[in-house]
Amino acid sequence: MAKIAIIYYSLYGHVATMAESIKEGLEAGGATVDIYQVEENLNEEILGKMGAPPKKDHPVMTAEKMPEYDGFMFGISGRYGSIPAQLKELTASSLHSLLDFAKRTLNRLQMKSRKSRMKEVSVVEDTMGDVEANA
C-alpha cells in the first residue's frame, strides 16, 4: 500500500488538526501515513506577540526524508494569496527530491498504462481467436 507524507505549516494549530483528521481517513483506506511539519522560521518572541500556541510534536520534514514516500499531501493556509514562507523554504531545499518523485510517479503511470494496453490487446486477441474458432 502507499506510503504518504502529510506535510503542513500551521501557525495557530488549525491546519495541524486537519492533517491529523486526514491521516485517520487515509489509514482507514489502507495507506501508511506520517505527519510532518515544516520548520518554523519565526522566533519565539514574534510567535508570542502573535498569540501562537506551542507547535505539535510532529517531526520536521527535510529534503532527505522525502524520497521515502510514494506521495505527499500538503496542508497550507493562505498567506495573502501565496503559501507561507516556511513551506517555500522546504520546497526550495527539496526541489531535487520533488523532481525525482515526479519522475518515479510518471514512470509508474507509464508502466500501468503499458500493462493496461497489453491486457486490452490480449483480450482482443483472445476474442479474435474465439471468433475465428467458431467461424
Side-chain angles (χ1 to χ4, degrees):
M1 195 45 73
K3 185 174 180 184
I4 308 295
I6 299 175
I7 305 167
Y8 72 88
Y9 175 72
S10 188
L11 182 60
Y12 295 104
H14 303 98
V15 178
T17 300
M18 284 194 312
E20 291 167 347
S21 295
I22 291 168
K23 178 183 179 185
E24 290 176 17
L26 289 170
E27 289 176 336
T32 301
V33 184
D34 296 317
I35 298 179
Y36 292 92
Q37 58 186 317
V38 296
E39 189 170 4
E40 182 60 74
N41 64 7
L42 299 174
N43 65 40
E44 291 298 322
E45 179 184 359
I46 292 173
L47 290 171
K49 288 179 180 180
M50 295 175 76
K55 299 290 182 192
K56 299 260 184 166
D57 289 334
H58 300 131
V60 172
M61 175 54 86
T62 63
E64 294 77 30
K65 294 177 189 171
M66 294 182 94
E68 300 172 15
Y69 292 90
D70 300 315
F72 305 99
M73 293 189 78
F74 292 93
I76 306 167
S77 59
R79 291 283 191 268
Y80 305 104
S82 186
I83 65 172
Q86 293 84 345
L87 194 57
K88 285 181 184 180
E89 288 177 16
L90 173 67
T91 56
S93 69
S94 59
L95 187 57
H96 179 73
S97 295
L98 290 172
L99 289 173
D100 183 55
F101 170 76
K103 287 179 192 174
R104 287 186 290 136
T105 301
L106 182 59
N107 287 337
R108 235 185 351 252
L109 291 173
Q110 288 173 338
M111 290 300 291
K112 284 183 181 180
S113 178
R114 277 191 212 119
K115 287 179 184 177
S116 178
R117 284 194 305 267
M118 289 172 68
K119 281 184 183 177
E120 290 171 9
V121 168
S122 177
V123 168
V124 169
E125 288 174 348
D126 290 346
T127 304
M128 292 301 289
D130 290 345
V131 169
E132 290 172 359
N134 293 328

